[in-house]
Structure formats: structure tokens, C-alpha cells
Amino acid sequence: MDRKQLPLRADARRNRERILNAAARHFAAQGIDTSLEEIAKAAGVGSGTLYRHFPSRDLLLAALLRDSQEKLLAQAEAARKIDHPGTALQVWLKALQSHLRTFSGLPAPLLAAIKEQASPLATSCQDLLSITEELLVQAQEEGQAKASVAASTLFLGALASAWAADHAEALGTTEEALDALLAQGYLTEK
Amino acid sequence: MDRKQLPLRADARRNRERILNAAARHFAAQGIDTSLEEIAKAAGVGSGTLYRHFPSRDLLLAALLRDSQEKLLAQAEAARKIDHPGTALQVWLKALQSHLRTFSGLPAPLLAAIKEQASPLATSCQDLLSITEELLVQAQEEGQAKASVAASTLFLGALASAWAADHAEALGTTEEALDALLAQGYLTEK
DNA sequence: ACCTGAACACCGTTCAAGT
DNA sequence: ACCTGAACACCGTTCAAGT
């Protein structure tokens, strides 16, 4: 399928940009379940225009995540170059979790995306899962990660900890403490 | 404050029961975000009647959880009688997680309840946190749990794993594997 | 005292009319 | 080709009218 796309009319291109800016602000401030109508209003466009550019909330989200996603893939590349595979896995998981915390409420649609292949978030999610698997297997081959752990379990754990991270302070704990709890489970002892 | 309550008119009492039954079915089948209007319809009452009995979704939820909650408190009592405090903690956390999985989507309102004391779910949540703390401290005193771990972190971890548990199968992993990942982090080695 | 269902508010989504 | 905003649908919540 062609993905030609680009030659947007000047006003359309400007509107698209405005919508993305407003959405980034609102998603960051209120979480990803915030009202799309308000985003359209803040962007100074009619709600129909928002839907023309981003027919679903997931498509808008996917567009917003693109930057963070690319940064993450670069970090994956860096992790691959680390000698010690156990460390590489740890570095990767840390970067992954940071990505998953880009917006509050992000884990839920990402998880949903994995089930419904149709979602625009699905392929990128699959990529992240593949990278996790690749680095996990290498660590396991060197005996630096437990053989009993599956990549999907680790990935789900990362999603879960991102889900919880928003609320860590309110409960009197910290994101770091939560990460530490999770980080113990997959490494081989000592 | 008086909490006299009970002398309900016969029809009111019957309606209350019907609402609870319908809600239990719908919450179990669709998760706790399902439409209250549909629950009222399934119960054969007007929506106003549902709101008269349960002015907020959280109050309805709290009423539904009461049974499960009592069972859980009994399990806490049983855990306290176990000689080995590390085991007692493990048993408790297992029971807690099972409770948190009563309905899909339950972790979110429970977490929210801790922040807003006003919520009808808040006090019961605080109880669960207190029990976690009590059993954790005992395990720590015997050197069977890491001194660096906080009860709130463990509790948040349990909520997070309950959140993820719904989706474990879809991802090709299991609730057990996820639990195992989390279970490693708080015990002292060997 | 309690119930009902119409009414209101809010928001997601579509689409006819405009430029 | 793209935009606007009114229109529709859905659901949570309230309340006047009924018994």
C-alpha cells in the first residue's frame, strides 16, 4: 500500500501541528483519557478537524509517541553494544519503563493494542516486545538471567510498574522502590 | 453519627438485592467500568433507584466487595498464626492479590481511594495496607524479608500485578509467572 | 418512603454546508 | 481539499411527579 500522504494544504498542516501541540500538553497534564473536544478547542479547530487528522484516539497517541519511540529504539541500539548481557537487559528495561511513563494512563491502551492487531500502536508494541526478548535471551545464554522468565512476563511487568508509577508518591513510596522490587525477579542470584 | 439504616421497606430491600445481583454479574463479566444504566435495566429498576441506593459507583463497589473483604480478613488472621513470618507474609500477599482480582479494573478505584479519604473504599484499603505492614515488619525482624522494602511498595506492587493479571494470557504469559517475578523482590536470599 | 422515567449535561463521533 | 459547528448517540446524574 502507498503511504504517500504528505502534500498537505498549508492550513491543514498548521492545524495538524496545533492539534499535536495541544494534545501533548493535555495528555501530559491530565492523562490520555482527557477530553478530545477540549483538545480541539485548545488547538483552535473544530472537533471535526481533529477527527479528520486523527480518526481515533490511538492514532493521535501513536503520532505523539513517535518521538519518544525513536529515542527508545536508539537506546536499544546502545544497549546491544554493552558487553555484559545482564547489564544490557537492565539498561533496556529501564529505558522501556521510562518510555511507558511518557503519559499517565498509557499502559492500558498499549496493552489493549497487543491484542487487537488493528491498533496503530500494535506494531510498535510488538517491536518493544521483540527487543526485550532478544536481550533477555542473550542474558539467559550467559546465565545472567533466569531461564524460567519469559519476555512477555517481563514486558507485562514493565507495563504494570508504569501503571503504578503515577501513584507511587501518593502512597508514600517511590518509583525507584517499585522498580527495585521488580528488578530482582529476573536476574540470577549474585 | 448514627448508622441505624435497616428498616427498609419491603420493595426497597428487594430492589437493593436485585441491583447487587445484577451489578455482581455485570462487574464480573465486563469489569467495573460497565454501564450503571444497564445494571439498573438488568435489575428491572429505574436508574434513579440505583442512585438512591448507591449514590456513587464506589459505594456500589464497596457493597459488592464486602463478602470478599471479610474472607480476606479471615485469611489475615490465619496468616498471623503461621510460625514462620516470611511464609506468613507470602500467604497474606497471595490472598491479597486474589482479592484484588475480584473484578477486572478494580485496582484503579482502590488506588484512587487511598488518596481521597472520602471514598467508601478508603478505610478498607487502609486496613489492607496496615496488615501488610504488620506482617512485613515481623518478617523483617526475623531477617526473612529485606529491611529495605516498604509496606506501601509491596501493596502497590500487589495492585500493579492485579492490574496486569487480566491480560496475562493474552500476552502469552500467566498470572503465576507474573507473581513469581514480583515475589522474588522482597524476600531475603535463600 | 420509595419508585419511575423524562430531562439535563457532557462528550465522542458524524456529516451537511461552507470556503 | 479542508474546515466548521450543528446534530446525533450514549451514558451518568438529577428531580418532578407518581404510588
Side-chain angles (χ1 to χ4, degrees):
Chain A
M1 27 176 170
D2 330 337
R3 225 41 177 88
K4 41 175 75 176
Q5 191 88 353
L6 276 186
L8 278 179
R9 222 165 65 177
D11 57 343
R13 184 208 255 292
R14 208 191 47 209
N15 280 338
R16 201 189 126 94
E17 219 52 45
R18 282 186 182 172
I19 291 167
L20 284 172
N21 281 333
R25 276 202 314 278
H26 284 239
F27 280 4
Q30 326 246 25
I32 57 156
D33 290 324
T34 192
S35 155
L36 295 183
E37 220 179 11
E38 270 184 25
I39 290 175
K41 205 166 290 173
V45 303
S47 51
T49 302
L50 190 152
Y51 282 94
R52 159 173 275 263
H53 285 283
F54 306 103
S56 78
R57 187 179 226 101
D58 277 2
L59 278 165
L60 177 54
L61 198 50
L64 282 173
L65 288 177
R66 207 147 295 166
D67 286 353
S68 173
Q69 180 96 13
E70 273 178 36
K71 214 181 72 184
L72 181 59
L73 293 180
Q75 288 175 295
E77 200 50 51
R80 277 191 256 263
K81 288 183 183 144
I82 296 175
D83 284 345
H84 191 271
T87 306
L89 178 59
Q90 276 184 295
V91 166
W92 161 250
L93 286 176
K94 190 150 192 160
L96 175 63
Q97 296 202 351
S98 161
H99 173 73
L100 297 176
R101 289 167 196 184
T102 307
F103 299 120
S104 119
L106 183 54
L110 288 184
L111 195 43
I114 295 178
K115 298 194 208 174
E116 317 163 31
Q117 325 240 24
S119 166
L121 299 167
T123 59
S124 91
C125 260
Q126 283 298 348
D127 289 349
L128 305 186
L129 187 51
S130 298
I131 294 171
T132 305
E133 176 133 46
E134 171 200 333
L135 292 171
L136 173 63
V137 167
Q138 290 195 0
Q140 285 171 331
E141 282 173 357
E142 301 292 327
Q144 290 163 12
K146 292 184 188 168
S148 60
V149 172
S152 57
T153 310
L154 270 189
F155 191 67
L156 188 56
L159 282 165
S161 89
W163 174 84
D166 291 331
H167 311 281
E169 280 133 272
L171 250 172
T173 180
T174 63
E175 296 189 21
E176 291 72 31
L178 194 65
D179 289 346
L181 192 67
L182 248 157
Q184 311 285 346
Y186 62 91
L187 298 173
T188 48
E189 325 229 330
K190 187 50 194 274
Chain B
M1 32 177 167
D2 330 336
R3 224 41 177 92
K4 40 174 73 175
Q5 190 88 354
L6 274 187
L8 277 179
R9 225 167 65 179
D11 57 343
R13 185 208 255 293
R14 208 190 47 209
N15 279 337
R16 201 189 126 92
E17 219 52 45
R18 282 186 183 172
I19 291 167
L20 284 172
N21 281 332
R25 277 202 312 278
H26 283 239
F27 281 4
Q30 325 246 25
I32 56 155
D33 289 324
T34 191
S35 155
L36 294 183
E37 220 178 12
E38 271 184 24
I39 291 176
K41 206 166 288 173
V45 302
S47 51
T49 301
L50 190 151
Y51 281 94
R52 158 173 275 263
H53 285 283
F54 306 102
S56 77
R57 186 180 228 105
D58 276 2
L59 278 165
L60 177 53
L61 198 49
L64 282 174
L65 287 177
R66 207 147 292 167
D67 286 353
S68 174
Q69 180 97 12
E70 275 179 35
K71 214 182 72 186
L72 181 60
L73 293 180
Q75 289 176 294
E77 202 49 52
R80 277 190 256 263
K81 290 183 183 145
I82 297 175
D83 284 345
H84 192 270
T87 307
L89 179 59
Q90 276 184 295
V91 166
W92 162 249
L93 285 176
K94 191 152 192 159
L96 174 63
Q97 296 203 351
S98 160
H99 173 72
L100 297 176
R101 288 168 196 183
T102 307
F103 300 120
S104 116
L106 184 54
L110 289 183
L111 194 43
I114 296 179
K115 299 193 208 176
E116 318 164 30
Q117 325 241 23
S119 166
L121 299 167
T123 59
S124 90
C125 259
Q126 284 296 349
D127 289 350
L128 305 186
L129 187 51
S130 299
I131 295 171
T132 305
E133 176 133 46
E134 171 200 333
L135 292 171
L136 173 63
V137 167
Q138 290 195 0
Q140 285 171 330
E141 281 171 357
E142 301 293 327
Q144 290 163 14
K146 293 183 187 168
S148 62
V149 172
S152 56
T153 310
L154 271 189
F155 191 67
L156 188 55
L159 282 165
S161 91
W163 174 85
D166 292 331
H167 311 282
E169 280 133 271
L171 250 173
T173 179
T174 63
E175 297 190 20
E176 290 73 31
L178 194 63
D179 289 345
L181 191 66
L182 248 156
Q184 311 284 346
Y186 63 90
L187 298 173
T188 49
E189 326 229 328
K190 184 57 192 274

